[in-house]
Amino acid sequence: QVQLVESGGGLVQPGGSLRLSCVASGSSLSIYDMGWYRQVPGKERELVASIPTGSRARYADSVKGRFTISRDSAKNTVYLQMDSLKPEDTAVYYCNSRLQLSWSSSILGYWGQGTQVTVSA
């Protein structure tokens, strides 16, 4: 059973920083990409940043220059460093990964449970 466990959300003032972490559990995981999405009530879930294995990261225009995604492949972990946070960054942030298990012939997508990020004075 694959699980993505997120941490690092919280309340921060505008201009502050947070670092989100997401760990993919399980053995024999072949990860094709990992990324972060966010969602607020009444809006569609949107891509924030992603980093495919062996490729460069990409970012939503709204976070370019402020957020940095990184991976520790040995730990199956992805991070999102969020700097210069704005109130409009307030959302539930979800970790996502597309991966293949050793016993499966399919590449499947998995979601974390989400972690709340609130940016407010």
Side-chain angles (χ1 to χ4, degrees), residues 18 40 44:
L18 286 173
V40 299
E44 297 291 321

Side-chain angles (χ1 to χ4, degrees), residues 17-81:
S17 298
L18 286 173
R19 190 190 191 200
L20 306 183
S21 300
C22 172
V23 180
S25 67
S27 60
S28 301
L29 302 178
S30 181
I31 296 176
Y32 290 88
D33 58 28
M34 299 187 80
W36 292 93
Y37 291 71
R38 66 186 181 188
Q39 188 171 25
V40 299
K43 294 187 177 181
E44 297 291 321
R45 189 171 298 183
E46 64 176 0
L47 175 69
V48 177
S50 67
I51 181 167
T53 300
S55 188
R56 65 178 61 187
R58 61 190 182 98
Y59 299 89
D61 288 342
S62 59
V63 307
K64 286 181 178 178
R66 300 188 297 119
F67 291 9
T68 303
I69 189 171
S70 61
R71 280 181 60 184
D72 185 336
S73 296
K75 298 180 180 179
N76 290 331
T77 301
V78 64
Y79 306 93
L80 185 67
Q81 178 68 43

